[in-house]
Amino acid sequence: MQIEGISAIVTGGASGLGYATAARLIAGGARVALLDLPGQRLDQAADTLGALAAGCDVADPEAVTAALDQAVSAHGVPRIAVSCAGIVTGGRIVGRDGPADLDSFERTIRVNLIGTFNVMRLAAHRMTTLDPVNEDGERGVIVNTASIAAFEGQIGQAAYAASKGGVAALSLPAAREFAQHGIRVAAIAPGLFHTPMMDGLPEDVQQSLAAGIPFPKRLGKADEFAATVQHIIENTMINGACLRVDGAIRLEPK
Ligand SMILES: NC(=O)c1ccc[n+]([C@@H]2O[C@H](COP(=O)([O-])OP(=O)(O)OC[C@H]3O[C@@H](n4cnc5c(N)ncnc54)[C@H](O)[C@@H]3O)[C@@H](O)[C@H]2O)c1
């Protein structure tokens, strides 16, 4: 699908991979709404990018419905929905102080998995009402963000890995279901990328993480993630997949 002139939403668009994706889509001529937690950071990102700020918690059904309404009024029904909103949590299943806190596990699943599903279901429902845009009968594209932790979760990443495993597993059943509507679904499993999340780590830790990447020996750039999103949108044959973008790294147990 061509990006030029199309309405798009990007969750987590106020920071990191989502911000870079929104910037790339806007550079390609899309009209973009950023769905992120309401606040100054979101407003600033939207101002800088020339995007619409649609504040919401991605796991909240009413808030995402209202954010989509905003996007529709400003730009028309989105044909592109990219989910980048996510949180990273850590902790052993059985730690020094006993079993893991169930609330923390639930919160991780709620934001990363339920939030992704919530946005996908509400955005796809609206996409089904649109006319196809090309001879393939394509109506829309959904791109979700998993993680390589979905496949090689490290010790302490049980909640995060489970949430991202869920995101990776959603692609195929969703793509199969939405095929009748000409809506594609794919996920990206990033390796280690430079984002505010990563930049929070000390320089030596970042270097040692980068050293574990076979090639290139550096963290990924957010725009390299965004370029993958763009390619998925433009390449109609990519559907139902989860693509690793990771410089061939495979995470060790710890
Ligand atoms: N950076 C990496 O190396 C890396 C690797 C693998 C996967 N990922 C995944 O990529 C995605 C983006 O990560 P990032 O590094 O850009 O992180 P980031 O922290 O820079 O950005 C995440 C954004 O999501 C938003 N967000 C969090 N909870 C939300 C909620 N409930 N509702 C709405 N918005 C919410 C945050 O406000 C933030 O703007 C995440 O899903 C992350 O798990 C990142």
Side-chain angles (χ1 to χ4, degrees):
M1 177 180 290
Q2 285 203 338
I3 287 169
E4 170 83 50
I6 271 176
S7 168
I9 59 166
V10 180
T11 79
S15 176
L17 304 183
Y19 183 92
T21 299
R24 194 171 251 271
L25 293 178
I26 289 167
R31 294 167 309 214
V32 175
L34 309 180
L35 276 64
D36 206 306
L37 297 172
Q40 208 189 342
R41 212 165 44 93
L42 171 60
D43 295 341
Q44 235 163 35
D47 264 7
T48 312
L49 290 171
L52 175 81
C56 64
D57 172 349
V58 287
D60 179 334
E62 282 80 36
V64 173
T65 300
L68 277 170
D69 286 344
Q70 264 183 278
V72 172
S73 313
H75 302 147
V77 175
R79 288 189 186 273
I80 298 171
V82 185
S83 271
C84 293
I87 54 171
V88 185
T89 53
R92 288 182 179 243
I93 303 166
V94 179
R96 266 190 220 105
D97 302 329
D101 176 21
L102 202 52
D103 288 345
S104 164
F105 187 86
E106 211 170 298
R107 195 169 78 88
T108 313
I109 299 292
R110 184 173 173 277
V111 175
N112 292 358
L113 179 54
I114 297 179
T116 300
F117 181 77
N118 188 35
V119 171
M120 179 166 78
R121 79 187 176 101
L122 294 170
H125 177 241
R126 293 181 194 223
M127 284 178 201
T128 60
T129 65
L130 294 167
D131 289 330
V133 279
N134 53 31
E135 67 279 8
D136 286 319
E138 201 170 14
R139 286 190 170 79
V141 185
I142 294 167
V143 182
N144 296 326
T145 308
S147 163
I148 57 170
F151 312 109
E152 297 117 43
Q154 296 183 297
I155 291 170
Q157 286 188 327
Y160 184 71
S163 71
K164 294 301 188 177
V167 172
L170 272 177
S171 275
L172 186 59
R176 286 171 161 171
E177 180 183 332
F178 298 156
Q180 60 178 318
H181 301 297
I183 298 168
R184 291 184 291 118
V185 184
I188 300 172
L192 306 169
F193 276 68
H194 247 307
T195 64
M197 193 183 85
M198 276 285 173
D199 291 346
L201 297 173
E203 187 60 35
D204 58 326
V205 175
Q206 290 188 34
Q207 273 171 13
S208 92
L209 285 173
I213 304 173
F215 186 83
K217 286 222 166 289
R218 60 168 174 81
L219 300 184
K221 298 172 190 164
D223 187 56
E224 291 169 327
F225 172 89
T228 312
V229 174
Q230 179 176 357
H231 184 75
I232 290 171
I233 293 166
E234 290 174 346
N235 187 336
T236 316
M237 278 310 286
I238 299 178
N239 196 12
C242 180
L243 310 181
R244 293 182 71 119
V245 182
D246 63 6
I249 194 173
R250 299 294 179 268
L251 298 175
E252 297 293 332
K254 54 182 170 182

